[in-house]
């Protein structure tokens, strides 16, 4: 399997936990107090509670259910109900490979995680979830521009899987990079990176542009949104 | 006592006022009302205090009655915030921004809050449009927090927390009770984390405390251990 960009590094501060999905893989991603990032199968080895509901305590993740503590290598080292016990080394969730590059968190559940090479002069702007598939989201980019009478230039495809593209919306910004992560058939995440020279005002314009793209993309999905 | 709060422990709106009082380190008298299943808020003598039949109700030492939580937050800050940071009355532009998010908090109650009552207590409700309204509101909040971060401001209405953050916190944090998880809202997740880190933060059922910050020695059990032991 290839590595997938599941989130922005900046959205996972020390002591935070998030949940990521890659196909059938349900993953808890967390960052320790000192900044070490880990990606584990989202099931507590004790009774199967989602570890993404857990709490970071220093360099450990504590399960929300019975408070078992797992260190950054995944080993359980503390069971509150039996404080005197040294848990066996087998009590350990499945560990996935995770790396951070270009401000993105990349996970590969079946092999060593690797990042796709992107230009260096980028800053991560935000992550948006679309309730539709990747092609509908892509198509909505040009139809949104048409609708607004703006020009829109699809740029290069930097990667097919996961799909990473550059786009230019000359009225707002050029060289926008969008990295998609399709986490379910009708659920795609778009990570947006922009040139690091872009002003705050233009960054907000890009963010709002992507929101209108989402409104277009989802127009046929729900009558209410 | 400084004031009396007619309270129900599982209500997000009651929690909003308890949280603000705790952050301001004010003590008060809490009267618990049998909201469910007793519906005491829909009967006398509660209706005499608040004909709208909602909770919470705040009665001041001067017998002034407040029935709207956003107004209670303003009142608490005016009375007890010696540094004038939670409701910076002297800062007009900031007050305008705060008003915007106080009004928005009512939308969160009407969407996420109602959907939560529907999910947890079977309150009759047309779930689909309410859910869509909840998602729309959370997306607006997510976008605003993203824009605030671009401006270098981590809070809803400025560079320090205000009553706007407290007004919007409960139902945003409680949305998983209405089956809306926070996975798709990274900026909201970071903001919820920041609120939980505030000095004086208290929890309610469904909103967990960050034990790691309060108790780094880690001697006690998990946040849920009391309820599931
Ligand atoms: N306007 C009130 C609304 C409070 C509210 O809706 N409270 C809920 C409990 S969280 C309630 O009492 N619901 C009963 C009802 O609406 O009949 C406020 O925001 O202060
Ligand atoms: S399920 Fe995780 S500690 Fe029990």
């Amino acid at each position: 399997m290839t590595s997938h960009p599941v989130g922005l590094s900046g959205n996972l501060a020390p002591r935070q936990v998030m949940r990521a999905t890659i196909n059938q893989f349900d993953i808890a991603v967390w960052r320790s107090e000192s900044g070490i990032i880990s990606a584990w199968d989202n099931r507590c080895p004790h009774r199967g509670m989602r570890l993404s509901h857990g709490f970071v305590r220093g360099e450990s993740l504590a399960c929300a259910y019975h408070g078992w503590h797992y260190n950054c290598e995944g080993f359980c080292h503390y069971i509150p109900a039996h404080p005197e016990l040294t848990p066996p080394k087998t009590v350990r969730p499945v560990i996935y490979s995770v790396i951070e590059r270009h401000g993105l968190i990349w996970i590969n559940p079946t092999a060593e995680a690797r990042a796709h090479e992107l230009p260096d002069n980028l800053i991560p702007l935000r992550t948006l979830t679309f309730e539709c598939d990747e092609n509908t989201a892509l198509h909505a980019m040009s139809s949104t521009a048409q609708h607004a009478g703006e020009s829109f230039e699809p740029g290069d495809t930097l990667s097919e899987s996961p799909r990473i593209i550059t786009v230019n919306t000359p009225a707002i910004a050029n060289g926008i990079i969008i990295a998609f992560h399709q986490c379910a058939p009708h659920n795609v995440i778009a990570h947006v990176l922009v040139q690091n020279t872009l002003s705050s005002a233009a960054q907000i314009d890009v963010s709002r542009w992507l929101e209108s793209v989402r409104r277009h993309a989802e127009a046929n999905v729900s009558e209410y949104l | 006592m400084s004031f009396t709060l007619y309270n129900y422990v599982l209500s997000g709106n009651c929690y909003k006022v308890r949280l603000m009082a705790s952050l301001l380190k004010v003590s008060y008298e809490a009267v618990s009302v049998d909201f469910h299943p007793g519906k005491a808020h829909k009967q006398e003598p509660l209706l005499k205090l608040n004909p709208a039949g909602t909770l919470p109700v705040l009665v001041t030492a001067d017998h002034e009655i407040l029935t709207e939580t956003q107004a209670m937050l303003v009142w608490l800050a005016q009375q007890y915030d010696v540094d004038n940071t939670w409701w910076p009355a002297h800062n007009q532009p900031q007050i305008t921004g705060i008003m915007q998010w106080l009004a928005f908090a009512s939308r969160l109650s009407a969407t996420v809050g109602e959907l939560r009552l529907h999910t947890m207590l079977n309150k009759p409700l047309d779930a689909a449009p309410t859910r869509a309204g909840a998602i729309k509101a959370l997306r607006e909040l997510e976008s605003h927090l993203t824009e605030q971060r671009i401006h270098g401001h981590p809070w809803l209405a400025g560079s320090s927390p205000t009553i706007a953050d407290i007004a919007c916190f409960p139902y945003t944090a409680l949305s998983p009770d209405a089956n809306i998880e926070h996975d798709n809202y990274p900026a909201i997740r970071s903001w919820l984390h920041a609120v939980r880190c505030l000095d004086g933060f208290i929890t309610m059922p469904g909103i967990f405390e960050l034990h790691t910050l309060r108790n780094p020695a880690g001697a006690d059990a998990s946040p849920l251990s009391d309820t599931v032991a």
Side-chain angles (χ1 to χ4, degrees):
Chain A
M1 189 183 282
T2 90
S3 300
H4 291 261
V6 299
L8 302 187
S9 293
N11 283 332
L12 187 71
R15 296 192 296 250
Q16 281 193 288
V17 190
M18 63 176 261
R19 184 183 186 192
T21 313
I22 301 177
N23 303 327
Q24 74 274 27
F25 296 95
D26 185 357
I27 304 168
V29 192
W30 65 281
R31 196 187 298 282
S32 76
E33 176 132 30
S34 73
I36 297 172
I37 191 167
S38 307
W40 299 346
D41 180 34
N42 198 8
R43 280 175 51 87
C44 179
H46 180 219
R47 293 277 184 82
M49 174 76 170
R50 275 185 206 153
L51 286 167
S52 56
H53 288 313
F55 296 82
V56 178
R57 279 195 173 189
E59 300 304 299
S60 302
L61 182 68
C63 175
Y65 205 4
H66 311 94
W68 289 25
H69 283 46
Y70 301 91
N71 68 19
C72 295
E73 286 81 51
F75 294 113
C76 180
H77 65 89
Y78 178 63
I79 297 177
H82 303 281
E84 69 295 339
L85 197 86
T86 305
K89 289 272 185 244
T90 46
V91 183
R92 191 187 190 208
V94 177
I95 312 272
Y96 300 131
S97 175
V98 53
I99 59 160
E100 294 181 273
R101 185 135 169 71
H102 307 298
L104 292 166
I105 301 168
W106 305 79
I107 294 179
N108 190 329
T110 56
E112 185 85 5
R114 300 178 44 147
H116 286 263
E117 277 318 308
L118 300 177
D120 275 332
N121 55 339
L122 297 172
I123 45 170
L125 186 67
R126 70 177 295 189
T127 292
L128 241 83
T129 304
F130 288 57
E131 300 207 354
C132 62
D133 62 26
E134 200 175 281
N135 287 330
T136 309
L138 270 171
H139 181 73
M141 290 190 185
S142 38
S143 69
T144 306
Q146 256 167 25
H147 192 84
E150 287 164 0
S151 64
F152 168 81
E153 299 156 10
D156 306 323
T157 297
L158 305 180
S159 156
E160 291 285 353
S161 171
R163 177 134 37 181
I164 306 177
I165 57 166
T166 65
V167 300
N168 300 312
T169 56
I172 304 169
N174 288 325
I176 303 168
I177 291 199
I178 302 183
F180 287 102
H181 169 49
Q182 177 101 39
C183 36
H186 298 287
N187 213 322
V188 64
I189 296 177
H191 307 292
V192 192
L193 300 100
V194 294
Q195 307 284 318
N196 59 13
T197 47
L198 207 60
S199 69
S200 301
Q203 290 181 35
I204 287 172
D205 286 344
V206 171
S207 169
R208 295 207 168 208
W209 165 72
L210 210 71
E211 285 166 35
S212 35
V213 170
R214 180 167 66 182
R215 277 188 290 273
H216 276 255
E218 293 178 349
N220 300 323
V221 178
S222 165
E223 58 178 307
Y224 298 115
L225 280 175
Chain B
M1 273 295 165
S2 43
F3 64 92
T4 302
L5 187 71
Y6 292 84
N7 180 47
Y8 175 62
V9 71
L10 289 176
S11 147
N13 276 316
C14 295
Y15 166 64
K16 191 188 289 181
V17 179
R18 299 198 302 272
L19 174 59
M20 192 70 240
S22 174
L23 292 166
L24 293 170
K25 304 186 166 42
V26 197
S27 55
Y28 57 93
E29 186 191 0
V31 177
S32 40
V33 177
D34 181 10
F35 181 92
H36 183 83
K39 289 198 190 292
H41 59 301
K42 300 289 186 202
Q43 296 159 36
E44 304 297 347
L46 258 297
L47 285 177
K48 208 169 287 158
L49 281 178
N50 179 15
T54 59
L55 288 179
V57 182
L58 187 157
V59 182
T60 72
D62 302 330
H63 307 291
E64 195 185 343
I65 301 170
L66 299 177
T67 61
E68 294 291 341
T69 47
Q70 273 55 272
M72 294 177 205
L73 297 183
V74 175
W75 183 83
L76 282 169
Q78 283 176 338
Q79 294 290 314
Y80 303 108
D81 176 16
V82 283
D83 300 325
N84 293 313
T85 61
W86 291 95
W87 173 252
H90 52 280
N91 185 336
Q92 283 308 316
Q94 203 181 356
I95 287 290
T96 313
I98 293 173
M99 293 300 296
Q100 176 85 10
W101 293 98
L102 292 183
F104 178 84
S106 304
R107 273 178 59 205
L108 288 173
S109 299
T111 55
V112 183
E114 289 297 291
L115 194 63
R116 176 172 172 266
L117 290 178
H118 174 72
T119 311
M120 296 176 73
L121 304 177
N122 291 316
K123 179 169 180 171
L125 175 73
D126 192 354
T130 311
R131 184 179 166 82
I135 289 173
K136 196 156 174 277
L138 290 173
R139 284 178 168 189
E140 288 171 45
L141 185 62
E142 171 76 16
S143 294
H144 177 71
L145 287 166
T146 302
E147 294 184 6
Q148 285 292 92
R149 200 192 47 207
I150 292 170
H151 287 304
H153 294 155
W155 301 96
L156 273 180
S159 51
S160 65
T162 65
I163 60 171
D165 296 285
I166 305 312
C168 293
F169 178 79
Y171 285 113
T172 307
L174 289 166
S175 75
D177 283 353
N179 292 325
I180 302 175
E181 299 291 335
H182 296 138
D183 304 331
N184 294 335
Y185 304 93
I188 286 179
R189 259 193 344 251
S190 297
W191 169 75
L192 293 175
H193 185 90
V195 173
R196 287 182 170 98
C197 292
L198 290 171
D199 179 36
F201 179 80
I202 52 164
T203 58
M204 71 168 272
I207 297 178
F208 306 128
E209 192 174 7
L210 290 181
H211 277 229
T212 170
L213 298 170
R214 316 198 138 243
N215 192 359
D220 61 347
S222 80
L224 278 176
S225 58
D226 298 348
T227 47
V228 296

